[in-house]
Amino acid sequence: MRVEIWSDIACPWCYVGKARFEKALDAFPHRDEVEVVHRSFELDPGRAKGDTGLVLPMLAKKYGMSEAQARAAEDRLGENAAAEGLEYRTEGRDHGSTFDMHRLLHLAKEHGRQDELVGLLYRANFAEERSVFDDDERLVELAVAAGLDADAARKVLADPAAYADDVRADEREAAELGATGVPFFVLDRKYGVSGAQPVESFTQALTQAWGERSPLKLIQEAGGDAEACGPDGCAVPQN
């Protein structure tokens, strides 16, 4: 079974939602038969590289609140993160374009290191002091920590077109599936789960999606089984 997760590194609920989903997945009896794929979704897709700012003033302006109210909202998010065992800096964080991070995640997908990189990016953005938005070498360091080649990561970052189509394709697909926000989880292309749901909700969704998988239906000719090869050898022609 495949679970696809549309998310953005700048999204705090994606950070929390990933942790909650992973708790449900770790306890799922068929964990080893579930493939998780991370898909791209930019909360601010038109943002220019290098356009950065502090989170608290941005929240105050965006939602028409005071900085004290924005700080209180961040404190509540920090409490939710802590409940899932996550570190979360409530002050001093910055924000910016995540396009390059999504492009690197597509590189990581090709090398089977996507989950490692997305986890490191989340932690770097939400728990560590050094920015992930204004320093390509910081992204290279995280890519290397995830198991990728440093030169390959630098090559992607130096070429704005590298994996750009893959990012845009993910975003178009999210819109086609009806995702208007993230995190957005799609299970076996049958069920969608929106938001950082409680662990129990993810457990229920996994169980339901697994139980409703369609069994394979064999189509055979009227004459019966045809010749084939199996663990014990191949059928011997009789004529």
Side-chain angles (χ1 to χ4, degrees):
M1 184 170 73
R2 171 180 283 196
V3 178
E4 296 161 279
I5 306 174
W6 272 265
S7 60
D8 193 9
I9 300 303
C11 164
W13 286 116
C14 296
Y15 181 45
V16 172
K18 180 177 184 292
R20 291 176 178 172
F21 171 75
E22 288 177 346
K23 286 182 179 179
L25 185 60
D26 287 344
F28 188 56
H30 308 285
R31 169 66 185 92
D32 293 342
E33 297 173 77
V34 177
E35 176 192 12
V36 177
V37 178
H38 295 278
R39 301 289 192 189
S40 299
F41 190 110
E42 294 171 277
L43 292 172
D44 194 356
R47 189 150 190 178
K49 182 173 181 176
D51 177 13
T52 63
L54 291 175
V55 167
L56 288 179
M58 178 273 291
L59 292 175
K61 180 179 179 181
K62 183 174 183 178
Y63 297 107
M65 60 176 70
S66 68
E67 285 205 21
Q69 290 172 316
R71 184 174 294 106
E74 280 289 276
D75 287 342
R76 288 191 293 271
L77 264 167
E79 291 169 1
N80 276 272
E84 306 306 329
L86 301 172
E87 294 183 43
Y88 190 96
R89 294 178 65 230
T90 57
E91 293 193 47
R93 289 192 300 108
D94 63 351
H95 62 102
S97 171
T98 57
F99 186 56
D100 283 351
M101 298 180 218
H102 285 294
R103 296 193 301 116
L104 282 177
L105 283 168
H106 279 279
L107 170 69
K109 180 183 176 184
E110 288 189 350
H111 295 275
R113 310 303 296 177
Q114 194 183 41
D115 196 62
E116 289 80 2
L117 181 56
V118 76
L120 288 168
L121 288 169
Y122 276 136
R123 177 176 174 78
N125 182 39
F126 290 107
E128 299 175 2
E129 290 188 17
R130 188 175 170 190
S131 175
V132 294
F133 296 105
D134 61 359
D135 184 357
D136 281 357
E137 279 305 302
R138 175 62 170 146
L139 295 182
V140 171
E141 290 175 9
L142 294 169
V144 171
L148 298 175
D149 178 74
D151 289 338
R154 289 192 185 96
K155 185 176 180 180
V156 168
L157 293 171
D159 179 7
Y163 299 101
D165 289 345
D166 299 274
V167 175
R168 299 306 180 213
D170 277 358
E171 293 172 339
R172 285 194 302 271
E173 194 165 12
E176 291 166 2
L177 290 170
T180 57
V182 285
F184 188 70
F185 302 77
V186 176
L187 290 77
D188 234 19
R189 285 297 166 119
K190 285 186 177 181
Y191 298 99
V193 178
S194 181
Q197 297 287 339
V199 174
E200 296 77 16
S201 296
F202 286 122
T203 298
Q204 181 181 353
L206 286 165
T207 301
Q208 185 172 350
W210 182 269
E212 295 186 14
R213 291 175 307 141
S214 298
L216 183 67
K217 296 181 179 179
L218 292 175
I219 299 175
Q220 296 180 335
E221 296 293 336
D225 293 338
E227 292 81 0
C229 295
D232 297 325
C234 297
V236 178
Q238 300 300 312
N239 297 320

